[in-house]
Amino acid sequence: MTDKTQNAMWGGRFAAGPDAIMEAINASISFDKRLYAQDIAGSRAHAAMLAATGIISDKDAEAIREGLLTVLSEIEGGNFAFSTALEDIHMNVEARLKEVIGAPAGRLHTARSRNDQVATDFRLWVRDQCDAAIEGLTALQKALLAQAEAGADWVMPGFTHLQTAQPVTWGHHMMAYVEMLARDKSRFADARKRMNESPLGAAALAGTGFPIDRAMTAKALGFDRPMANSLDAVSDRDFALEFLSAAVICAVHLSRFAEELVIWSSAQFRFVTLSDRFSTGSSIMPQKKNPDAAELIRAKIGRILGSAVALFTVMKGLPLAYSKDMQEDKEQVFDAADTLMLALAAMTGMVADMTANRANLEKAALSGFSTATDLADWLVREAGLPFRDAHHATGALVALAEKKGCDLPDLSIGEMTSVHPSITQDIYSVLGVQNSVASRKSYGGTAPDQVREQVARWKALIG
């Protein structure tokens, strides 16, 4: 495109076109072309409203509508030539529309600005990403529910500080992530609800003198209502920041689970076997089966958090209303959304394919004095000891078992009573890991019946 053509876009304001450096830093078409569907949808709604309010003729509105469908078809078919000289998706679409339908294309931009146009396009795109994230999270929840249902009564060690704490069930551990992901879904849903107001019609920053119907365009685009302040409408990027914030928390959850899968699949644990589809080998060590997908998911939080920090930094000092700094919003959100969806898909695949090694889980649960708390509870419940005294007596029994190189159930009744005379043979009923988990029947506990109830509840909720 020549400087003369470029100058025509701006009217008579500038005597010379931008040089190559200015064009490169100013253009956003390399990334905002992803907004083409939202841009065309917004333009179609705007043109229909302009005709309904008598601002443009029905004939021109019909030409615009048909022309925009032609442009949409060209882009979707890969037959559209994007131009950096035209800066962004809005000008690229409008320029092509003029080539397709001629003069009526020039009436499309009546009563709007690129400021409210891009705010609308971007809001529509982020809204779609909230829906996609919720769908991806639901798929992962279903994979976790299948694991939880299969292993509702499989005993494994529960950890604090990555040290054996108390026995839990495999199903209970899987259900912990179902709960986390539910909160992630609620954050995306909440953000979506709050962002579902239309900026279209705010124009550059002050609204417009044309008799537009903003409620009509809002309804056509699936928004609940128009935004109530034109300055806020064009300058707000809270919706993008909220999406990124929800994505960061979700990525933290995925990273935590990925870390567990890395540990559990190691030769030292062997709690799970990951499928070959989500593992790789070593170029030099033939015995290796590396959990690369889990490790990469664990790393993705860095990119998503970086995107959030970048956009928060961009927005922190901007006066009202629009500033060109805000062009830096899209690449951050695009990358974070792509990264999150890939991580969700990979985690869903891993969870669906992985095999929990039940025997190894139970063997690990039997070690590390995991039923010490059950012993202390028994002393409180059956022997009437204050908990602190019971805790002290249990600690002494653990020390004795450590000295002997055995676990608590391996101590004789004589050795038990030497620590506290109130202990009876009945103590052994609580020292088995199966008895331990079965006793945790409080709401939200690890007892298999509780796990099955929670699985059934969640299956009913998400289908």
Side-chain angles (χ1 to χ4, degrees):
M1 175 168 286
T2 65
D3 285 348
K4 183 177 180 181
T5 306
Q6 174 72 14
N7 291 344
M9 288 170 50
W10 296 106
R13 173 66 180 85
F14 296 99
D19 64 19
I21 294 174
M22 182 58 194
E23 182 176 286
I25 196 171
N26 194 50
S28 60
I29 189 60
S30 63
F31 51 86
D32 71 14
K33 61 186 177 184
R34 292 182 64 161
L35 300 175
Y36 73 86
Q38 290 78 17
D39 191 71
I40 290 172
S43 290
R44 291 181 64 193
H46 186 66
M49 181 275 295
L50 291 176
T53 54
I55 298 172
I56 66 173
S57 68
D58 290 339
K59 181 179 179 181
D60 284 346
E62 177 63 17
I64 290 170
R65 187 187 76 83
E66 292 298 325
L68 287 170
L69 289 176
T70 298
V71 175
L72 179 63
S73 178
E74 290 176 351
I75 296 175
E76 290 180 339
N79 301 314
F80 190 94
F82 292 101
S83 168
T84 56
L86 290 169
E87 292 187 17
D88 55 34
I89 186 61
H90 324 298
M91 298 306 297
N92 269 263
V93 169
E94 188 175 328
R96 178 58 183 150
L97 181 65
K98 185 175 182 179
E99 291 175 351
V100 173
I101 67 171
R107 296 187 172 87
L108 172 60
H109 208 54
T110 306
R112 77 173 183 185
S113 161
R114 282 195 294 177
N115 291 355
D116 63 336
Q117 190 178 357
V118 69
T120 303
D121 294 356
F122 195 28
R123 198 172 282 249
L124 287 170
W125 193 91
V126 175
R127 189 180 71 181
D128 290 343
Q129 291 307 300
C130 287
D131 293 338
I134 291 169
E135 184 178 343
L137 285 161
T138 300
L140 179 50
Q141 282 183 306
K142 289 180 178 180
L144 288 163
L145 285 170
Q147 288 282 351
E149 189 169 32
D153 57 356
W154 298 1
V155 180
M156 67 176 290
F159 297 97
T160 60
H161 308 280
L162 201 57
Q163 298 185 62
T164 299
Q166 293 177 267
V168 296
T169 55
W170 172 258
H172 193 55
H173 201 113
M174 295 299 101
M175 292 304 296
Y177 284 101
V178 172
E179 295 288 339
M180 288 187 212
L181 300 179
R183 293 193 296 273
D184 290 325
K185 287 167 64 175
S186 71
R187 274 182 280 271
F188 283 115
D190 190 47
R192 187 196 193 283
K193 182 178 180 180
R194 198 161 20 254
M195 72 178 65
N196 205 35
E197 296 184 345
S198 175
L200 194 57
L205 76 161
T208 178
F210 289 97
I212 61 173
D213 185 347
R214 292 189 63 206
M216 178 181 174
T217 52
K219 182 179 180 180
L221 294 171
F223 289 114
D224 295 329
R225 65 191 67 83
M227 294 184 73
N229 184 284
S230 60
L231 285 166
D232 182 46
V234 298
S235 63
D236 170 56
R237 292 299 182 271
D238 289 358
F239 64 93
L241 294 172
E242 283 199 70
F243 172 80
L244 289 173
S245 299
V248 167
I249 297 172
C250 181
V252 168
H253 292 155
L254 297 179
S255 181
R256 294 182 72 183
F257 192 23
E259 169 72 359
E260 292 197 313
L261 294 180
V262 170
I263 293 170
W264 290 352
S265 63
S266 69
Q268 289 71 30
F269 275 73
R270 298 190 186 279
F271 283 6
V272 299
T273 301
L274 300 178
S275 74
D276 291 347
R277 294 200 310 144
F278 294 96
S279 306
T280 64
S282 167
S283 63
I284 189 172
M285 295 170 283
Q287 83 280 10
K288 295 291 292 297
K289 184 177 181 180
N290 300 322
D292 281 11
E295 291 171 355
L296 288 166
I297 291 171
R298 187 174 59 185
K300 296 300 183 186
I301 174 62
R303 288 182 66 157
I304 297 173
L305 178 59
S307 293
V309 171
L311 187 53
F312 272 99
T313 305
V314 166
M315 296 301 299
K316 73 171 183 63
L318 297 187
L320 297 181
Y322 181 83
S323 296
K324 193 69 170 182
D325 311 50
M326 293 164 71
Q327 183 169 289
E328 291 295 311
D329 55 4
K330 295 166 203 64
E331 286 182 285
Q332 308 302 333
V333 175
F334 291 162
D335 187 73
D338 291 346
T339 301
L340 180 65
M341 293 308 298
L342 179 59
L344 281 170
M347 183 62 83
T348 302
M350 272 197 302
V351 171
D353 285 1
M354 73 181 180
T355 302
N357 300 322
R358 183 177 184 179
N360 289 349
L361 290 169
E362 185 164 354
K363 182 179 178 182
L366 289 167
S367 65
F369 311 107
S370 66
T371 56
T373 304
D374 298 274
L375 193 157
D377 288 346
W378 185 92
L379 288 169
V380 172
R381 188 173 59 250
E382 302 298 330
L385 271 67
F387 183 79
R388 286 302 170 199
D389 292 346
H391 186 282
H392 179 78
T394 301
L397 287 168
V398 168
L400 178 59
E402 281 185 324
K403 185 177 180 180
K404 289 194 63 179
C406 66
D407 211 333
L408 287 172
D410 302 317
L411 292 175
S412 68
I413 189 63
E415 289 167 327
M416 293 271 195
T417 55
S418 70
V419 171
H420 201 283
S422 299
I423 296 176
T424 68
Q425 195 73 30
D426 187 54
I427 192 69
Y428 293 103
S429 67
V430 301
L431 294 182
V433 292
Q434 295 288 354
N435 292 334
S436 175
V437 297
S439 71
R440 307 293 176 180
K441 295 179 180 180
S442 58
Y443 181 79
T446 192
D449 288 346
Q450 275 291 318
V451 172
R452 292 186 180 101
E453 285 182 17
Q454 292 299 328
V455 169
R457 180 175 73 89
W458 274 109
K459 288 175 74 173
L461 283 171
I462 65 179

